[in-house]
Structures are given as C-alpha cells and as structure tokens.
Amino acid sequence: MRFLILKIAMFTGLLVLALALFIVQVWNGSYYRTLGDKNRIRLIPMEAPRGRVFDRNHRALATNRPSYDVVATPEDVHRDEYPRLSKLLGLTEAAIKQRMSASREYPFAPAVIEEDVSQEIAFKIEERRPELPGVSIRVSGRRFYPYQQTASHLIGFIGKINSAEYEKLHENQLLYGMNSLVGRMGLEKVYDEKLRGERGGRQIEVNARGNMVRLLSEKTPVPGEDLTMTIDLEFQKKIMDLIQGQHAAVAVLDLDTDELLALASSPSYDPNVFVSPGASKERLAFLKDEASPLVDRGVSSAYPPGSVFKLVTALAGLETGKITPSTTFHCTGLFHLTPNSVPRKCWFARGHGDMNVYEALERSCNVFFYSVGKRLSPDDIAEYARMLGLGEAMRLETSNIAPGLVPDSAWKKKRLKEKWYQGETLSFAIGQGYLLTSPVQILRMTSIIAKDGEIVEPHLIRWPEGEGEAPHEHKRLSIKKANFEIVKQGMFQVVQSDYGTGQLGRVDFGHMAAKTGTAQAPPLNSHAWMTGFFPYEHPKLAFAVFVEHGGSGGIAGARIVKGMLETWRDMYGQKVA
C-alpha cells in the first residue's frame, strides 16, 4: 500500500513538472523568448556632438570638452556595489539608489550616476570594473564656454530637457532623448535645432554579466552645425572692460553690413556654471543676485530713453511741417502749457534763450521740444517712433528681446481706460512718460538716421552663402532726406560744438555725431544715454551706450563712447574687418 502511494505521489510530481515545463516553454514560450532577447540585446542611445559657436575671426566662443560620466545598468548592478560606489563617488547610497531608479528612455539603457567626474575617479572606476559589474565610464562632450562672461548674454547656455519638454518632443527621437540637453538662452536657444545635430545609437549583444559580446548595429550621430557670429571677441572684451562694475550696455554696428561688432551687457555671468553639475551654488548665486547678471540690458530690458528720443520728435516736427529749420522757441528755463499750469523745467535753469532745431539738439533744450510737442499729437510722435523701429521686438538672433513701448492715445484708452492728456504729450516729446526702449532699439534708430532713412536690420550671425535670410532690400523710410540732414547736423553740433552736451565724447581722429540723454528714473539716479555715429562725413559705425542710473548722459555716456571709439581706432584704424 505504501509503495502504491509513493508511486502515485511520484507520478503526480512528474505530471506537475511536465505541465509547468509546457506552460513555460510552449504556452508562454514567445513571451519568455522576448524577455531573453531584451536582456541579451540592448539599445544604447548616443547624443550628437553639439555645433560650435565662433566669433567673426573664428575664435571658439562655445565648444565641447571631454567629460567622464559614471553610468550603470541597474539590472546588472547588485546592491552590494552601492557602498563601493558611494565611497568612490562621495555620494550617499540613497542618492545612488535614487539615480539608479530614475526613468530611462529604453529598458536596460544605462542610468547616469554622476556626471563630469575627475580623470582620477574615472581611472579608479575602470580599474575596479571587475568588482563593479554593470558600472562603466562613458566619455561624452560637455559644453564649454572658454571666454566665460564675454558675450555670455548672446551665446546663452544649455540645460537638461525637463519632463514636460520631453513629453512634447520625444516623438522626434532623432533630436530629443530623455537625457538630452536643450538651449535655454541666447543663440543656444534660438538655434537649438541647428546646433544639436542628430542622435545615434548602438545595438549590442551582452552576456549574462551584462558585458558586451558584440556590436549588432550602429547609427553614428550627426554633429550639429557650427555658427559664426558677427561679434569681434577682442572688441567685445575691451568694451566689457569699459563698463565693468556698472549696470550698462554698449551696442556697436557696422553700417556697411548691418553686422553687430559688439553687444555688451554688464554685469554678466559665466555660462559654464549652468552646464557644470557641481556648480549648483554658483547657479543659485547668479539667480538670486540683485544686480540681475542674467539680464541682457542691451536687448532684454526697456528703459525711458530721455533726450535721445528728441531725435524722433525733431523728425516728426519737421516732417509734419509743425516746425522748419528756422523755427525758434524762446527758453527761459520754464515752460507753461497754459497760463495757469504748473511750469515744466528745462535742465538749464537759466534758460537757453532763442533756440532753433539745430541748437535745441546741440544743447538738448527741453523747452524747445515741449514747444514742438505742443504742436504735435501723441499719435504723430508715435507714428515716427514706430517708423524708426521703436515699440516692436527687433528681429535679432537672440532670446528675450524686449519690444519696448511706444504709447499713443488708443493704447492709453485700451490699457488704462483713460483719455490722453496734452501734458503727457510734452513728456513723450522729451522721451519720458510711458515710453520705453532698449539700447539695441536706440542703436537701430540712430543707424537709420545715419543712413538717411535706409532701413537697417542689425544681425548677429554670419551665414554661409545661400543660407540664412536673404539680404534685405535697401528700402527707405518715407521721410525726406533733407530732414535727416537737419537732424544729423544737430547731432554733429552735440559733440563738435563747445556748447554741445556730448563734447566729452569728442575724439581727435575724426568728427562724431551723437545725442545724449539723461532719463529720469525717480527715486533713483537718472539713466545715462548716448547714441551716435562715426565718422560724421562717411559713417562707418553706429553706437548706443546706456548706463543704468548712471547720471548724466553727457558725462557717464560720453566717457564710454570716447573709450569705445579709441579702442575701435586702435584695433581697426579706419577700416572695419
């Protein structure tokens, strides 16, 4: 009896075993075969080398350097390895575990444990690989900005794609992966698709320990395209030196080509901080800095332009026939809109006396321009401001471009639900009130004046022939050339006359034409402006200088302009490269 029971038990056991084998090998065979292939065959994504950025003389402003990253395939890593990795990398075991469990683009794709480790740590990891199955060193290209703060606002920086961006872009796997880097500011952001190239990948077969047995297939990444800027690195550096320690911006344009030779903003920042994994404290410091070093004061901020805007008011008055070159207004130092109104002051309390438009520009007489403003409507002034490129975001190859604001009666009614008052037109006429402009907009306005109304489109990129936007046609504004000549003559007197507000900017190797501005910014000190072109007779350069709360444009602005022009003469002579 006992023998019979034993036989039945053995038979039942064999039957269960056979059934289990049938289920595994036959019923679920396809499923387990797929799992085995996935474990044995792995897909490793490869990011493309990012395109470089050069200045006009082919000096690399943004490039790539080798970086050693510690990566691990979680499925191949045993928990016993955590203490060893923790000791080698100086990370807690919890941090390693967290990084190991992060989402990955493909099953068995390596997880990044620590980026940009030192060569010494990389060698130690390689030496101990037998003790660290599943862990390896991956050499990648890390973004590097060799000139640090110079032109950093224009170049920008890159950062890791976030989950929302990946969700939106992941269908284009040639360009974006879960660990891809994307442009965050400047050229890096605007031309991200050109710079990033196309991703590649490797399909490999591994053994039971996760080591590669053979390469099954490979798609080589396509490197990103290089870009060449119009900026001259050395000129930009010297201008940065001129405005160091100030909150300021300087823009310089080659009038023959519309190329920006320099576009400097201070304070600035080192973009390497935003691509270095170990620089989180420095990143935070930049983000919290009350001086706002991440803000490009030349492009991304808008300020009241003050008296540099009198160039627009003069053109509006001349073009509408409200004034002529011989029209004079008498300045006593005060202006009354009506006999009973509160008087407005000219900056020269004793009064300038009789002023025509040339003298009014030369001495920046407020009373003259209040008088012109009284004859104009806000819509007249706004029309000419917009014709000269103010009040709209400029088409420039960088990010965060401030459009500024050119107000008019319709704007105020819509925005503030109020009618426009004539007193506001007087403020508008001298560049105050609601009006806001960026330094690069003032540069463009001055460039158009220097070229007698020819439309100017400043740009930052030199494209290879046949690429980029087609050169713009040399269209002109419908403003009489004679009126531009009148304004230019007034600008000449601003610098070359002994009564001019910009005479401190005068240089001994040519004649300059310019306009100063001292824009009120209560309760703080005024903003300083100076804009112009050089040489007066045959303009080659246009410039705009802005110093935030810098005081007088004729002092703070003029000193920088003089230094900038002397630097330009030393570097180029009379010829721009």
Side-chain angles (χ1 to χ4, degrees), residues 526-557:
S526 300
H527 299 314
W529 289 88
M530 188 161 178
T531 184
F533 56 89
F534 180 89
Y536 171 73
E537 295 80 4
H538 303 288
K540 291 181 177 297
L541 291 180
F543 57 84
V545 169
F546 168 77
V547 185
E548 192 174 299
H549 304 301
S552 167
I555 298 174

PDB file of all heavy atoms in Angstrom, residues 526-557:
ATOM      1  N   SER A 526      19.274 109.209 -12.367  1.00  0.00           N
ATOM      2  CA  SER A 526      18.819 109.114 -13.762  1.00  0.00           C
ATOM      3  C   SER A 526      19.637 108.085 -14.548  1.00  0.00           C
ATOM      4  O   SER A 526      20.763 107.742 -14.183  1.00  0.00           O
ATOM      5  CB  SER A 526      18.945 110.478 -14.438  1.00  0.00           C
ATOM      6  OG  SER A 526      18.172 111.432 -13.768  1.00  0.00           O
ATOM      7  N   HIS A 527      19.046 107.606 -15.666  1.00  0.00           N
ATOM      8  CA  HIS A 527      19.766 106.734 -16.593  1.00  0.00           C
ATOM      9  C   HIS A 527      20.552 107.607 -17.583  1.00  0.00           C
ATOM     10  O   HIS A 527      20.050 108.637 -18.045  1.00  0.00           O
ATOM     11  CB  HIS A 527      18.790 105.876 -17.407  1.00  0.00           C
ATOM     12  CG  HIS A 527      17.938 104.972 -16.569  1.00  0.00           C
ATOM     13  ND1 HIS A 527      18.441 104.197 -15.549  1.00  0.00           N
ATOM     14  CD2 HIS A 527      16.598 104.705 -16.620  1.00  0.00           C
ATOM     15  CE1 HIS A 527      17.460 103.491 -15.008  1.00  0.00           C
ATOM     16  NE2 HIS A 527      16.333 103.788 -15.637  1.00  0.00           N
ATOM     17  N   ALA A 528      21.759 107.153 -17.908  1.00  0.00           N
ATOM     18  CA  ALA A 528      22.596 107.901 -18.857  1.00  0.00           C
ATOM     19  C   ALA A 528      22.567 107.223 -20.222  1.00  0.00           C
ATOM     20  O   ALA A 528      22.719 106.000 -20.328  1.00  0.00           O
ATOM     21  CB  ALA A 528      24.036 107.953 -18.336  1.00  0.00           C
ATOM     22  N   TRP A 529      22.387 108.028 -21.275  1.00  0.00           N
ATOM     23  CA  TRP A 529      22.360 107.515 -22.652  1.00  0.00           C
ATOM     24  C   TRP A 529      23.307 108.335 -23.526  1.00  0.00           C
ATOM     25  O   TRP A 529      23.496 109.531 -23.306  1.00  0.00           O
ATOM     26  CB  TRP A 529      20.973 107.668 -23.265  1.00  0.00           C
ATOM     27  CG  TRP A 529      19.880 106.792 -22.771  1.00  0.00           C
ATOM     28  CD1 TRP A 529      19.046 107.028 -21.723  1.00  0.00           C
ATOM     29  CD2 TRP A 529      19.466 105.538 -23.339  1.00  0.00           C
ATOM     30  NE1 TRP A 529      18.134 106.007 -21.589  1.00  0.00           N
ATOM     31  CE2 TRP A 529      18.366 105.082 -22.570  1.00  0.00           C
ATOM     32  CE3 TRP A 529      19.909 104.759 -24.414  1.00  0.00           C
ATOM     33  CZ2 TRP A 529      17.709 103.886 -22.852  1.00  0.00           C
ATOM     34  CZ3 TRP A 529      19.250 103.572 -24.685  1.00  0.00           C
ATOM     35  CH2 TRP A 529      18.174 103.134 -23.912  1.00  0.00           C
ATOM     36  N   MET A 530      23.847 107.715 -24.528  1.00  0.00           N
ATOM     37  CA  MET A 530      24.476 108.447 -25.632  1.00  0.00           C
ATOM     38  C   MET A 530      24.448 107.542 -26.861  1.00  0.00           C
ATOM     39  O   MET A 530      24.808 106.361 -26.793  1.00  0.00           O
ATOM     40  CB  MET A 530      25.921 108.837 -25.309  1.00  0.00           C
ATOM     41  CG  MET A 530      26.534 109.761 -26.373  1.00  0.00           C
ATOM     42  SD  MET A 530      27.976 110.633 -25.753  1.00  0.00           S
ATOM     43  CE  MET A 530      28.483 111.567 -27.196  1.00  0.00           C
ATOM     44  N   THR A 531      23.987 108.102 -27.957  1.00  0.00           N
ATOM     45  CA  THR A 531      23.925 107.331 -29.207  1.00  0.00           C
ATOM     46  C   THR A 531      24.421 108.208 -30.350  1.00  0.00           C
ATOM     47  O   THR A 531      24.309 109.436 -30.287  1.00  0.00           O
ATOM     48  CB  THR A 531      22.489 106.838 -29.483  1.00  0.00           C
ATOM     49  OG1 THR A 531      22.480 106.018 -30.647  1.00  0.00           O
ATOM     50  CG2 THR A 531      21.528 107.993 -29.690  1.00  0.00           C
ATOM     51  N   GLY A 532      24.988 107.591 -31.370  1.00  0.00           N
ATOM     52  CA  GLY A 532      25.502 108.389 -32.471  1.00  0.00           C
ATOM     53  C   GLY A 532      26.150 107.546 -33.548  1.00  0.00           C
ATOM     54  O   GLY A 532      25.977 106.313 -33.598  1.00  0.00           O
ATOM     55  N   PHE A 533      26.896 108.224 -34.411  1.00  0.00           N
ATOM     56  CA  PHE A 533      27.603 107.509 -35.488  1.00  0.00           C
ATOM     57  C   PHE A 533      28.928 108.197 -35.756  1.00  0.00           C
ATOM     58  O   PHE A 533      29.139 109.363 -35.390  1.00  0.00           O
ATOM     59  CB  PHE A 533      26.744 107.411 -36.754  1.00  0.00           C
ATOM     60  CG  PHE A 533      26.254 108.735 -37.282  1.00  0.00           C
ATOM     61  CD1 PHE A 533      27.012 109.482 -38.195  1.00  0.00           C
ATOM     62  CD2 PHE A 533      25.032 109.255 -36.884  1.00  0.00           C
ATOM     63  CE1 PHE A 533      26.561 110.695 -38.694  1.00  0.00           C
ATOM     64  CE2 PHE A 533      24.569 110.479 -37.369  1.00  0.00           C
ATOM     65  CZ  PHE A 533      25.333 111.198 -38.276  1.00  0.00           C
ATOM     66  N   PHE A 534      29.823 107.451 -36.442  1.00  0.00           N
ATOM     67  CA  PHE A 534      31.184 107.938 -36.669  1.00  0.00           C
ATOM     68  C   PHE A 534      31.761 107.275 -37.926  1.00  0.00           C
ATOM     69  O   PHE A 534      31.508 106.074 -38.140  1.00  0.00           O
ATOM     70  CB  PHE A 534      32.048 107.581 -35.454  1.00  0.00           C
ATOM     71  CG  PHE A 534      33.479 108.025 -35.579  1.00  0.00           C
ATOM     72  CD1 PHE A 534      33.864 109.286 -35.154  1.00  0.00           C
ATOM     73  CD2 PHE A 534      34.443 107.173 -36.121  1.00  0.00           C
ATOM     74  CE1 PHE A 534      35.188 109.699 -35.260  1.00  0.00           C
ATOM     75  CE2 PHE A 534      35.752 107.582 -36.239  1.00  0.00           C
ATOM     76  CZ  PHE A 534      36.132 108.852 -35.812  1.00  0.00           C
ATOM     77  N   PRO A 535      32.553 108.023 -38.692  1.00  0.00           N
ATOM     78  CA  PRO A 535      32.721 109.471 -38.667  1.00  0.00           C
ATOM     79  C   PRO A 535      31.501 110.174 -39.274  1.00  0.00           C
ATOM     80  O   PRO A 535      30.718 109.559 -40.013  1.00  0.00           O
ATOM     81  CB  PRO A 535      33.968 109.696 -39.507  1.00  0.00           C
ATOM     82  CG  PRO A 535      34.087 108.501 -40.378  1.00  0.00           C
ATOM     83  CD  PRO A 535      33.429 107.364 -39.686  1.00  0.00           C
ATOM     84  N   TYR A 536      31.354 111.425 -38.977  1.00  0.00           N
ATOM     85  CA  TYR A 536      30.165 112.176 -39.404  1.00  0.00           C
ATOM     86  C   TYR A 536      30.052 112.223 -40.925  1.00  0.00           C
ATOM     87  O   TYR A 536      28.971 112.047 -41.484  1.00  0.00           O
ATOM     88  CB  TYR A 536      30.254 113.603 -38.836  1.00  0.00           C
ATOM     89  CG  TYR A 536      29.205 114.543 -39.373  1.00  0.00           C
ATOM     90  CD1 TYR A 536      27.877 114.440 -38.968  1.00  0.00           C
ATOM     91  CD2 TYR A 536      29.549 115.536 -40.289  1.00  0.00           C
ATOM     92  CE1 TYR A 536      26.904 115.292 -39.463  1.00  0.00           C
ATOM     93  CE2 TYR A 536      28.586 116.396 -40.793  1.00  0.00           C
ATOM     94  CZ  TYR A 536      27.267 116.269 -40.381  1.00  0.00           C
ATOM     95  OH  TYR A 536      26.313 117.123 -40.880  1.00  0.00           O
ATOM     96  N   GLU A 537      31.180 112.446 -41.602  1.00  0.00           N
ATOM     97  CA  GLU A 537      31.140 112.660 -43.054  1.00  0.00           C
ATOM     98  C   GLU A 537      30.746 111.391 -43.814  1.00  0.00           C
ATOM     99  O   GLU A 537      29.946 111.435 -44.751  1.00  0.00           O
ATOM    100  CB  GLU A 537      32.506 113.163 -43.546  1.00  0.00           C
ATOM    101  CG  GLU A 537      32.895 114.546 -43.009  1.00  0.00           C
ATOM    102  CD  GLU A 537      33.450 114.515 -41.586  1.00  0.00           C
ATOM    103  OE1 GLU A 537      33.596 113.394 -41.038  1.00  0.00           O
ATOM    104  OE2 GLU A 537      33.712 115.584 -41.027  1.00  0.00           O
ATOM    105  N   HIS A 538      31.320 110.267 -43.447  1.00  0.00           N
ATOM    106  CA  HIS A 538      31.040 108.990 -44.118  1.00  0.00           C
ATOM    107  C   HIS A 538      30.873 107.920 -43.031  1.00  0.00           C
ATOM    108  O   HIS A 538      31.820 107.182 -42.730  1.00  0.00           O
ATOM    109  CB  HIS A 538      32.176 108.612 -45.075  1.00  0.00           C
ATOM    110  CG  HIS A 538      32.458 109.646 -46.112  1.00  0.00           C
ATOM    111  ND1 HIS A 538      31.609 109.880 -47.176  1.00  0.00           N
ATOM    112  CD2 HIS A 538      33.480 110.543 -46.222  1.00  0.00           C
ATOM    113  CE1 HIS A 538      32.096 110.860 -47.911  1.00  0.00           C
ATOM    114  NE2 HIS A 538      33.231 111.287 -47.354  1.00  0.00           N
ATOM    115  N   PRO A 539      29.699 107.818 -42.459  1.00  0.00           N
ATOM    116  CA  PRO A 539      29.501 106.960 -41.284  1.00  0.00           C
ATOM    117  C   PRO A 539      29.861 105.492 -41.521  1.00  0.00           C
ATOM    118  O   PRO A 539      29.437 104.888 -42.510  1.00  0.00           O
ATOM    119  CB  PRO A 539      28.004 107.116 -40.995  1.00  0.00           C
ATOM    120  CG  PRO A 539      27.607 108.401 -41.623  1.00  0.00           C
ATOM    121  CD  PRO A 539      28.461 108.537 -42.846  1.00  0.00           C
ATOM    122  N   LYS A 540      30.678 104.966 -40.621  1.00  0.00           N
ATOM    123  CA  LYS A 540      31.029 103.545 -40.659  1.00  0.00           C
ATOM    124  C   LYS A 540      30.429 102.793 -39.473  1.00  0.00           C
ATOM    125  O   LYS A 540      30.118 101.619 -39.584  1.00  0.00           O
ATOM    126  CB  LYS A 540      32.558 103.376 -40.619  1.00  0.00           C
ATOM    127  CG  LYS A 540      33.263 103.840 -41.876  1.00  0.00           C
ATOM    128  CD  LYS A 540      34.751 103.615 -41.749  1.00  0.00           C
ATOM    129  CE  LYS A 540      35.463 104.004 -43.035  1.00  0.00           C
ATOM    130  NZ  LYS A 540      35.047 103.167 -44.171  1.00  0.00           N
ATOM    131  N   LEU A 541      30.349 103.480 -38.336  1.00  0.00           N
ATOM    132  CA  LEU A 541      29.861 102.860 -37.111  1.00  0.00           C
ATOM    133  C   LEU A 541      28.662 103.613 -36.577  1.00  0.00           C
ATOM    134  O   LEU A 541      28.602 104.840 -36.676  1.00  0.00           O
ATOM    135  CB  LEU A 541      30.923 102.910 -36.002  1.00  0.00           C
ATOM    136  CG  LEU A 541      32.179 102.091 -36.103  1.00  0.00           C
ATOM    137  CD1 LEU A 541      33.020 102.355 -34.860  1.00  0.00           C
ATOM    138  CD2 LEU A 541      31.847 100.616 -36.206  1.00  0.00           C
ATOM    139  N   ALA A 542      27.740 102.867 -35.986  1.00  0.00           N
ATOM    140  CA  ALA A 542      26.702 103.478 -35.155  1.00  0.00           C
ATOM    141  C   ALA A 542      26.825 102.835 -33.784  1.00  0.00           C
ATOM    142  O   ALA A 542      27.283 101.684 -33.663  1.00  0.00           O
ATOM    143  CB  ALA A 542      25.322 103.234 -35.738  1.00  0.00           C
ATOM    144  N   PHE A 543      26.453 103.563 -32.766  1.00  0.00           N
ATOM    145  CA  PHE A 543      26.613 103.025 -31.409  1.00  0.00           C
ATOM    146  C   PHE A 543      25.484 103.520 -30.517  1.00  0.00           C
ATOM    147  O   PHE A 543      24.839 104.550 -30.791  1.00  0.00           O
ATOM    148  CB  PHE A 543      27.974 103.427 -30.820  1.00  0.00           C
ATOM    149  CG  PHE A 543      28.193 104.910 -30.788  1.00  0.00           C
ATOM    150  CD1 PHE A 543      27.710 105.688 -29.746  1.00  0.00           C
ATOM    151  CD2 PHE A 543      28.877 105.550 -31.820  1.00  0.00           C
ATOM    152  CE1 PHE A 543      27.894 107.054 -29.727  1.00  0.00           C
ATOM    153  CE2 PHE A 543      29.071 106.927 -31.811  1.00  0.00           C
ATOM    154  CZ  PHE A 543      28.565 107.683 -30.755  1.00  0.00           C
ATOM    155  N   ALA A 544      25.256 102.776 -29.444  1.00  0.00           N
ATOM    156  CA  ALA A 544      24.340 103.204 -28.377  1.00  0.00           C
ATOM    157  C   ALA A 544      24.958 102.771 -27.061  1.00  0.00           C
ATOM    158  O   ALA A 544      25.391 101.623 -26.917  1.00  0.00           O
ATOM    159  CB  ALA A 544      22.965 102.577 -28.545  1.00  0.00           C
ATOM    160  N   VAL A 545      25.029 103.700 -26.131  1.00  0.00           N
ATOM    161  CA  VAL A 545      25.576 103.422 -24.795  1.00  0.00           C
ATOM    162  C   VAL A 545      24.498 103.740 -23.771  1.00  0.00           C
ATOM    163  O   VAL A 545      23.843 104.788 -23.858  1.00  0.00           O
ATOM    164  CB  VAL A 545      26.835 104.278 -24.539  1.00  0.00           C
ATOM    165  CG1 VAL A 545      27.240 104.201 -23.070  1.00  0.00           C
ATOM    166  CG2 VAL A 545      27.978 103.829 -25.429  1.00  0.00           C
ATOM    167  N   PHE A 546      24.315 102.840 -22.832  1.00  0.00           N
ATOM    168  CA  PHE A 546      23.319 103.034 -21.775  1.00  0.00           C
ATOM    169  C   PHE A 546      23.948 102.666 -20.437  1.00  0.00           C
ATOM    170  O   PHE A 546      24.580 101.618 -20.312  1.00  0.00           O
ATOM    171  CB  PHE A 546      22.099 102.140 -22.029  1.00  0.00           C
ATOM    172  CG  PHE A 546      21.163 102.062 -20.858  1.00  0.00           C
ATOM    173  CD1 PHE A 546      20.301 103.106 -20.578  1.00  0.00           C
ATOM    174  CD2 PHE A 546      21.174 100.961 -20.017  1.00  0.00           C
ATOM    175  CE1 PHE A 546      19.450 103.046 -19.482  1.00  0.00           C
ATOM    176  CE2 PHE A 546      20.326 100.885 -18.920  1.00  0.00           C
ATOM    177  CZ  PHE A 546      19.455 101.929 -18.654  1.00  0.00           C
ATOM    178  N   VAL A 547      23.792 103.544 -19.438  1.00  0.00           N
ATOM    179  CA  VAL A 547      24.269 103.250 -18.078  1.00  0.00           C
ATOM    180  C   VAL A 547      23.082 103.409 -17.131  1.00  0.00           C
ATOM    181  O   VAL A 547      22.546 104.511 -16.972  1.00  0.00           O
ATOM    182  CB  VAL A 547      25.416 104.195 -17.648  1.00  0.00           C
ATOM    183  CG1 VAL A 547      25.950 103.760 -16.280  1.00  0.00           C
ATOM    184  CG2 VAL A 547      26.533 104.207 -18.678  1.00  0.00           C
ATOM    185  N   GLU A 548      22.674 102.296 -16.547  1.00  0.00           N
ATOM    186  CA  GLU A 548      21.520 102.300 -15.653  1.00  0.00           C
ATOM    187  C   GLU A 548      21.831 103.123 -14.410  1.00  0.00           C
ATOM    188  O   GLU A 548      22.818 102.839 -13.714  1.00  0.00           O
ATOM    189  CB  GLU A 548      21.203 100.840 -15.290  1.00  0.00           C
ATOM    190  CG  GLU A 548      19.879 100.623 -14.606  1.00  0.00           C
ATOM    191  CD  GLU A 548      19.628  99.125 -14.435  1.00  0.00           C
ATOM    192  OE1 GLU A 548      19.554  98.408 -15.441  1.00  0.00           O
ATOM    193  OE2 GLU A 548      19.541  98.677 -13.275  1.00  0.00           O
ATOM    194  N   HIS A 549      21.027 104.131 -14.144  1.00  0.00           N
ATOM    195  CA  HIS A 549      21.230 105.047 -13.016  1.00  0.00           C
ATOM    196  C   HIS A 549      22.637 105.638 -13.032  1.00  0.00           C
ATOM    197  O   HIS A 549      23.260 105.840 -11.995  1.00  0.00           O
ATOM    198  CB  HIS A 549      20.971 104.331 -11.681  1.00  0.00           C
ATOM    199  CG  HIS A 549      19.606 103.704 -11.607  1.00  0.00           C
ATOM    200  ND1 HIS A 549      18.442 104.416 -11.739  1.00  0.00           N
ATOM    201  CD2 HIS A 549      19.242 102.400 -11.474  1.00  0.00           C
ATOM    202  CE1 HIS A 549      17.407 103.600 -11.664  1.00  0.00           C
ATOM    203  NE2 HIS A 549      17.862 102.368 -11.517  1.00  0.00           N
ATOM    204  N   GLY A 550      23.111 105.895 -14.227  1.00  0.00           N
ATOM    205  CA  GLY A 550      24.485 106.402 -14.389  1.00  0.00           C
ATOM    206  C   GLY A 550      24.606 107.910 -14.292  1.00  0.00           C
ATOM    207  O   GLY A 550      25.704 108.456 -14.364  1.00  0.00           O
ATOM    208  N   GLY A 551      23.452 108.619 -14.175  1.00  0.00           N
ATOM    209  CA  GLY A 551      23.506 110.073 -14.079  1.00  0.00           C
ATOM    210  C   GLY A 551      23.463 110.727 -15.453  1.00  0.00           C
ATOM    211  O   GLY A 551      22.670 110.336 -16.309  1.00  0.00           O
ATOM    212  N   SER A 552      24.319 111.671 -15.681  1.00  0.00           N
ATOM    213  CA  SER A 552      24.297 112.458 -16.919  1.00  0.00           C
ATOM    214  C   SER A 552      24.801 111.653 -18.122  1.00  0.00           C
ATOM    215  O   SER A 552      25.887 111.061 -18.073  1.00  0.00           O
ATOM    216  CB  SER A 552      25.172 113.700 -16.736  1.00  0.00           C
ATOM    217  OG  SER A 552      25.417 114.309 -17.984  1.00  0.00           O
ATOM    218  N   GLY A 553      24.025 111.688 -19.202  1.00  0.00           N
ATOM    219  CA  GLY A 553      24.476 111.033 -20.432  1.00  0.00           C
ATOM    220  C   GLY A 553      25.700 111.710 -21.006  1.00  0.00           C
ATOM    221  O   GLY A 553      26.563 111.060 -21.601  1.00  0.00           O
ATOM    222  N   GLY A 554      25.774 113.041 -20.815  1.00  0.00           N
ATOM    223  CA  GLY A 554      26.915 113.789 -21.350  1.00  0.00           C
ATOM    224  C   GLY A 554      28.206 113.525 -20.600  1.00  0.00           C
ATOM    225  O   GLY A 554      29.282 113.917 -21.054  1.00  0.00           O
ATOM    226  N   ILE A 555      28.125 112.859 -19.448  1.00  0.00           N
ATOM    227  CA  ILE A 555      29.339 112.528 -18.689  1.00  0.00           C
ATOM    228  C   ILE A 555      29.564 111.013 -18.718  1.00  0.00           C
ATOM    229  O   ILE A 555      30.513 110.530 -19.317  1.00  0.00           O
ATOM    230  CB  ILE A 555      29.229 113.051 -17.238  1.00  0.00           C
ATOM    231  CG1 ILE A 555      29.098 114.580 -17.236  1.00  0.00           C
ATOM    232  CG2 ILE A 555      30.437 112.608 -16.419  1.00  0.00           C
ATOM    233  CD1 ILE A 555      28.843 115.183 -15.866  1.00  0.00           C
ATOM    234  N   ALA A 556      28.639 110.266 -18.067  1.00  0.00           N
ATOM    235  CA  ALA A 556      28.826 108.811 -17.985  1.00  0.00           C
ATOM    236  C   ALA A 556      28.803 108.166 -19.369  1.00  0.00           C
ATOM    237  O   ALA A 556      29.637 107.298 -19.676  1.00  0.00           O
ATOM    238  CB  ALA A 556      27.750 108.207 -17.098  1.00  0.00           C
ATOM    239  N   GLY A 557      27.843 108.598 -20.218  1.00  0.00           N
ATOM    240  CA  GLY A 557      27.746 108.007 -21.552  1.00  0.00           C
ATOM    241  C   GLY A 557      28.907 108.412 -22.435  1.00  0.00           C
ATOM    242  O   GLY A 557      29.497 107.576 -23.146  1.00  0.00           O
TER     243      GLY A 557
END
